[in-house]
Amino acid sequence: MDRTLVWTAQVAIPSGHRVEVTEQADPLTQEPVLLALLDLDTGIRYRRAEEPRGELARWLGRVLECTVIVGDRGARTILTVDPIGPGAVGAKVALRGADAAADAAKAEADRWGGIDRPPAEEPERFW
């Protein structure tokens, strides 16, 4: 499952390069926040100025697409990365997706299962 990473800086990483991504879960939303990128093919490290605190998750990926947007308010980079191997944050995202799929399946089963209809009465038996 490809991941889209948004970085508020001008970071040009060519397609096909391997990267190491360091993320941390946002305490409010539990969404992953990008803290650092290491281009493993060039050795260039990009990271935020502030020091990270708390639990970090690192995972490897291959850049599929890189778009750099330069505007009046600064630069922004959008990277599409194909994860290589398991990662802690990737597992959390997969579990959230699995939970959402399970909830959708339960809702569909409830809709088709007739829980909103009263059960049919059994006919009287004559012996």
Side-chain angles (χ1 to χ4, degrees):
M1 179 171 108
D2 299 342
R3 297 273 311 271
T4 300
L5 306 174
V6 179
W7 187 263
T8 54
Q10 188 172 342
V11 177
I13 300 177
S15 296
H17 277 219
R18 293 176 309 119
V19 291
E20 179 186 80
V21 179
T22 304
E23 294 178 325
Q24 182 177 30
D26 185 296
L28 299 175
T29 63
Q30 294 303 315
E31 291 294 318
V33 176
L34 181 61
L35 297 176
L37 278 171
L38 171 61
D39 185 339
L40 296 171
D41 294 334
T42 62
I44 299 173
R45 180 180 303 275
Y46 305 93
R47 68 181 202 84
R48 293 183 182 263
E50 64 269 4
E51 290 296 321
R53 291 175 294 206
E55 186 178 333
L56 302 177
R58 288 185 172 83
W59 54 276
L60 300 177
R62 185 169 308 281
V63 175
L64 299 175
E65 185 177 312
C66 178
T67 304
V68 178
I69 301 168
V70 180
D72 295 339
R73 292 186 255 159
R76 184 173 59 158
T77 302
I78 302 170
L79 291 168
T80 303
V81 179
D82 180 26
I84 303 170
V89 174
K92 289 178 186 174
V93 169
L95 285 176
R96 270 200 305 273
D99 288 342
D103 291 341
K106 286 179 189 175
E108 192 68 15
D110 291 345
R111 189 176 80 123
W112 288 98
I115 64 163
D116 58 338
R117 293 180 233 137
E121 292 184 21
E122 290 187 29
E124 285 187 35
R125 294 185 179 173
F126 297 101
W127 298 100

